[in-house]
Amino acid sequence: MDFLYTILTPFTWVVSWILWAFHAGFSWLGMDPANGWTWTFSIIGLVLVIRAALIPVFVKQIKAQRGMQALQPDLRKLQQKYKGKTDQLSRQAMTQEQMALYKKHGTNPFSACLPMLVQMPFFFALFSVLNNASRANDNGEGIGALSPELIRQFDESTIFGAPLSASLLHGGGGANQAAVIVLSIIMILAMTASQFITQKQIMAKNMSAEAMQSPFMKQQQMMLYILPLVFGIGGINFPIGVLIYWTTTNLWTMAQQFFVIRRMPTPGSQAARELAERRAKKGLPMVPLLGERKTEEPAVEAPAEPKGQRNQPQRKNRKRK
């Protein structure tokens, strides 16, 4: 546990500092420093900063995903080539050829999870800050960049009567218990629904015909239902402040995916055909899509000389004397 705390310490300082900066800014604008909405907007501001910083990672993820889809035909050929071969040399050769394919297409199976992997330390750091707010308040301690006074304000702050540091399993007690239960359930449903809708719109419109028939698609279909279920079950233990964070980041992801599907769809997908139709109606040419393979222009061959004839060397005109 101490090892995990040591790893999360720098992320805890980053998260708490961003919260402090937004809280100070909203307080300067005239909002009550102890009000729950001031802290709620500070958490939303934290999401905006982290997700904006992750945009380059997100673009890299799109390229990697499209690279994975582009190599599916080659991957199927490779699987057919080594079908039924279970000896160690064949497995090693297949692995090496797979790695060569990934390198050729500039992708790997783990790139699709990159934004979530980068975001998870910040999520756990925020969970640690919000989950330990009550304990720190009781001991008169601060957390990261948040002073003991700010921790006290946060621990006592509420929205709709529910403390931000309370969770469905650990409610606010007394009159606050009903507000915590209702708000937690609403936030958990919003969090899981936004995650499900985001994944569903990708599968419905932004996957090529080859990707729809690949084993990768079966994994995507499983994740479509498994991930919202995991976060829904885990959400009963999340403080309301963490539920606000995760719901906000899911809404960001949904809007981001909507933009990508409409403006930068996967080549060969339904969304790409719809984009081509919209541009055709406006009389605009179709632009190359992100991750689309560039077609090589056929080389123009020089006209062949007619057989049986040889070009005679041209004689220079000499000056007559």
Side-chain angles (χ1 to χ4, degrees):
M1 203 68 177
D2 292 337
F3 177 70
L4 181 62
Y5 176 79
T6 303
I7 293 176
L8 288 179
T9 297
F11 296 99
T12 300
W13 271 94
V14 171
V15 165
S16 60
W17 186 87
I18 296 174
L19 281 175
W20 171 85
F22 275 104
H23 183 266
F26 289 127
S27 301
W28 180 78
L29 290 174
M31 296 183 70
D32 183 1
N35 190 279
W37 288 107
T38 307
W39 286 104
T40 298
F41 290 135
S42 299
I43 293 171
I44 293 173
L46 171 68
V47 174
L48 299 181
V49 169
I50 292 177
R51 293 310 302 267
L54 285 177
I55 287 177
V57 182
F58 176 72
V59 173
K60 187 175 181 180
Q61 177 198 27
I62 295 176
K63 292 180 179 178
Q65 286 177 335
R66 295 183 182 178
M68 284 294 295
Q69 292 182 21
L71 66 80
Q72 288 304 315
D74 295 334
L75 202 56
R76 282 197 292 270
K77 290 178 184 177
L78 186 62
Q79 291 168 349
Q80 288 295 324
K81 177 181 176 181
Y82 289 96
K83 187 177 182 181
K85 297 179 181 180
T86 57
D87 58 284
Q88 187 175 358
L89 288 176
S90 296
R91 289 179 180 177
Q92 187 176 358
M94 182 177 175
T95 302
Q96 289 176 348
E97 290 187 39
Q98 274 185 332
M99 297 307 294
L101 278 177
Y102 293 146
K103 186 176 181 180
K104 176 184 175 183
H105 290 269
T107 186
N108 64 74
F110 304 103
S111 298
C113 305
L114 195 57
M116 182 168 285
L117 291 176
V118 173
Q119 191 179 181
M120 289 311 290
F122 296 98
F123 169 73
F124 285 123
L126 177 66
F127 180 85
S128 177
V129 170
L130 303 187
N131 201 44
N132 293 324
S134 296
R135 179 195 58 77
N137 184 34
D138 293 339
N139 297 333
E141 300 172 349
I143 300 178
L146 299 176
S147 65
E149 175 61 20
L150 290 176
I151 289 295
R152 183 190 65 78
Q153 290 179 357
F154 174 81
D155 190 44
E156 295 174 358
S157 65
T158 62
I159 56 171
F160 302 115
L164 291 175
S165 57
S167 66
L168 188 60
L169 292 184
H170 307 285
N176 291 331
Q177 185 65 36
V180 170
I181 292 173
V182 172
L183 187 57
S184 295
I185 291 175
I186 291 173
M187 295 301 297
I188 289 171
L189 290 176
M191 179 180 67
T192 54
S194 57
Q195 192 164 32
F196 179 84
I197 292 169
T198 301
Q199 292 293 78
K200 187 68 176 177
Q201 70 176 350
I202 295 173
M203 294 172 61
K205 284 193 170 186
N206 204 36
M207 297 188 78
S208 63
E210 289 179 349
M212 295 290 285
Q213 298 172 1
S214 68
F216 177 72
M217 181 63 180
K218 294 180 181 178
Q219 297 176 2
Q220 288 288 97
Q221 288 175 334
M222 290 177 60
M223 298 301 288
L224 174 66
Y225 297 98
I226 291 176
L227 275 180
L229 185 63
V230 169
F231 278 97
I233 295 173
I236 63 176
N237 199 40
F238 290 170
I240 289 175
V242 173
L243 292 176
I244 292 170
Y245 170 91
W246 207 250
T247 302
T248 306
T249 196
N250 282 355
L251 292 174
W252 173 291
T253 303
M254 186 189 301
Q256 193 169 244
Q257 287 291 356
F258 178 80
F259 176 84
V260 168
I261 290 172
R262 185 168 178 84
R263 299 294 181 89
M264 296 183 293
T266 301
S269 65
Q270 179 184 339
R273 292 191 294 271
E274 291 176 356
L275 175 61
E277 290 173 2
R278 289 197 303 270
R279 294 187 67 85
K281 287 180 180 178
K282 295 178 180 179
L284 300 173
M286 189 59 191
V287 294
L289 300 175
L290 183 64
E292 188 174 17
R293 284 182 174 179
K294 294 181 180 179
T295 56
E296 295 181 358
E297 296 181 1
V300 180
E301 297 182 357
E305 295 180 359
K307 293 182 179 180
Q309 295 183 4
R310 187 169 64 90
N311 291 337
Q312 299 295 329
Q314 298 292 331
R315 211 170 177 185
K316 295 182 178 179
N317 293 329
R318 295 182 179 178
K319 294 182 179 180
R320 292 180 181 180
K321 292 182 180 179

